Amino acid sequence: LSPGVSPPGLPNAGKSSVLNALLGRSAVGVSRAPGRTRYFQTHYLSASVRLCDCPGLVFPSRAPPELQVLAGVYPIAQLQDPYSAVGFLGSRLALPPLLQLRPPSGPGWTAWELCE
């Protein structure tokens, strides 16, 4: 990303409403229901400031739910196993040294032990 450019946000998070408020006019359509913004739009606040509106970030459904939780695009309330995301992260990062954790009593770290 270029300096000063934000990545797309979550669906129905108010990106279009913020853009309209910053521009001081109704430049883009807004709705309570997600999916109103269908394409990337650029609006100029000044000669040197561009504001962009885009559809919300939608994670591919082929990605595991654990990764979607870590990306912040999967509703945590719908997650069957809350420790799966911690296990996913723990299998890819050396969390115990990063978090300065003492070794577990068992043979290795589990997601449960990392959370405790």
Side-chain angles (χ1 to χ4, degrees):
L1 294 173
S2 303
V5 175
S6 298
L10 294 175
N12 211 32
K15 297 179 294 295
S16 299
S17 296
V18 169
L19 186 135
N20 283 339
L22 291 171
L23 290 174
R25 60 185 168 86
S26 183
V28 295
V30 295
S31 171
R32 286 182 179 221
R36 170 73 182 193
T37 304
R38 299 256 179 222
Y39 56 92
F40 193 87
Q41 304 169 56
T42 302
H43 299 272
Y44 291 88
L45 184 61
S46 70
S48 61
V49 177
R50 281 185 293 191
L51 301 175
C52 299
D53 192 23
C54 63
L57 175 68
V58 178
F59 223 76
S61 61
R62 293 181 302 263
E66 298 85 6
L67 181 56
Q68 293 181 41
V69 167
L70 294 171
V73 296
Y74 190 92
I76 292 176
Q78 293 180 12
L79 191 63
Q80 297 291 327
D81 175 17
Y83 297 100
S84 59
V86 175
F88 186 90
L89 192 59
S91 69
R92 287 158 177 79
L93 295 174
L95 290 179
L98 285 172
L99 301 173
Q100 300 177 355
L101 301 174
R102 292 188 308 264
S105 57
W109 288 98
T110 65
W112 174 267
E113 290 170 323
L114 285 171
C115 288
E116 281 196 340

